[in-house]
Amino acid sequence: MKQFFSVKDINSISAIVNEALALKRNPFSHEDLGKHKTLGLVFLNPSLRTRMSTQKAALQLGMQVMMMNLNQDGWALETQDGVVMNGTNVEHIREAAAVMGVYCDVLGLRSFPNLQNQEQDYSETLFNKFQQYNKKPLISLESATLHPLQSLADIITIVEHLKPGVKPKVVLSWAPHIKPLPQAVANSFSQWMCKAQEEGLIDFIITHPEGYQLKDTFIAGTTVTNNQTEALVDADFVYVKNWSSYHEYGQILPVEENWMLDQQKWQLTNQAKVMHCLPVRRDLELASELLDGKDSLVIEQAENRIWAAQVVLKQILETLNTAV
Ligand code: CP
């Protein structure tokens, strides 16, 4: 593996999940693979899980880790080309990314969308520039449009809870929120579940209110309904997540019904496992009774972020070591 931006960077979901689960059983099986290699984790936005799980994964592979909170601790970054830098931005991404590439063997970058300009966000300009100038393998720690380490952890978690001989029904269910959130987690989850569906692992369905349709390219091959009740019937896994409108970009649209998953709605399911990427706003996005209940997988998902990161780093290190 040379980079990790999306599901397109892997060959087979089953194969990478099995490799991740082997690492989970034996975390230090490749403890020398990353010896004398440095991972740089660069954050333009807050993080708990991504920061700690990716660091732990790297340490278990013998890597050294450097963190940079670029927005807080770095120089104000200019990302546009061809501008005279006579304003508040101090350092151009060309130099900043190149310098971090000199210090590190592998880089991870988190950069959320601004939710103002759909074209700019969905062209992943910042990620592309960062990769172009640093010249080292780059891992997405969540970009403007996708969160692949989260989705890999999610499918690992689902596979761990598969029942023999049963192809589960997995539902992505939109949830309310007070702020406009990126579509990245939903896009990414959908992209990975569509591939898992192609591989025959699951059946996948998305439910959201009118106006919240995701970009076509991320939902190809799946069923989408505005009828949450219909979607929840017989569900084996319900993945709860808010996102702002893609088509009315970054907007929170009026929704009359209550879309929060609670115990009453959960009764429609096949005793579904309840999932969320975290952080979650209790009793706004998801009822506490479900979060705290026996069918909640949210902490297991967060734990599996370690093995998602570790398998990705392992594959990148193997590619790097082969190239030497
Ligand atoms: N789920 C997730 O990416 O968590 P953090 O934003 O805390 O990293």
Side-chain angles (χ1 to χ4, degrees), residues 43 46-51 110 112 141-142 147 150 277-279 305:
F43 289 90
S47 168
L48 187 162
R49 281 144 289 273
T50 306
R51 183 186 303 266
R110 166 165 283 197
F112 290 169
L141 306 175
E142 188 171 343
H147 195 359
Q150 180 64 53
C277 62
L278 304 182
R305 292 293 306 271

Side-chain angles (χ1 to χ4, degrees), residues 24 36-37 46 48 74 80 84 94 123 125 136 139 150 182 184 216 218 226 229 247 256 285 293 302 311:
K24 186 171 183 174
H36 300 162
K37 293 277 193 301
L48 187 162
Q80 301 299 313
V84 177
R94 284 175 178 253
S123 61
T125 313
K136 294 291 169 68
I139 298 172
Q150 180 64 53
D216 289 351
F218 299 120
N226 299 138
T229 301
H247 291 282
E256 283 177 13
E285 290 179 82
V311 73

Side-chain angles (χ1 to χ4, degrees), residues 152-290:
L152 177 51
D154 297 334
I155 188 67
I156 291 168
T157 311
I158 289 171
V159 168
E160 286 186 302
H161 286 273
L162 289 179
K163 293 181 185 137
V166 178
K167 194 199 283 189
K169 178 179 177 183
V170 178
V171 180
L172 170 60
S173 185
W174 183 90
H177 206 282
I178 54 163
K179 285 172 60 183
L181 296 191
Q183 297 95 37
V185 169
N187 286 342
S188 193
F189 185 75
S190 177
Q191 198 185 43
W192 284 71
M193 291 308 117
C194 287
K195 187 167 171 70
Q197 187 166 250
E198 275 169 33
E199 290 186 20
L201 290 173
I202 61 155
D203 288 323
F204 182 48
I205 180 167
I206 302 173
T207 185
H208 58 68
E210 280 184 29
Y212 284 92
Q213 181 94 358
L214 296 167
K215 188 179 181 189
D216 289 351
T217 46
F218 299 120
I219 58 173
T222 196
T223 307
V224 180
T225 175
N226 299 138
N227 186 332
Q228 189 188 34
T229 301
E230 189 181 280
L232 291 175
V233 170
D234 293 335
D236 298 293
F237 295 87
V238 183
Y239 196 100
V240 175
K241 184 72 185 89
N242 168 268
W243 61 90
S244 60
S245 174
Y246 168 71
H247 291 282
E248 293 187 50
Y249 193 60
Q251 301 298 305
I252 297 181
L253 309 175
V255 176
E256 283 177 13
E257 292 162 53
N258 182 9
W259 275 70
M260 184 184 77
L261 187 72
D262 58 14
Q263 187 72 30
Q264 195 181 346
K265 290 184 183 190
W266 181 86
Q267 296 290 352
L268 296 165
T269 72
N270 184 24
Q271 300 193 314
K273 299 294 181 190
V274 177
M275 303 179 73
H276 190 287
C277 62
L278 304 182
V280 64
R281 288 184 182 245
R282 284 173 168 259
D283 298 313
L284 174 69
E285 290 179 82
L286 184 52
S288 293
E289 61 204 6
L290 292 175

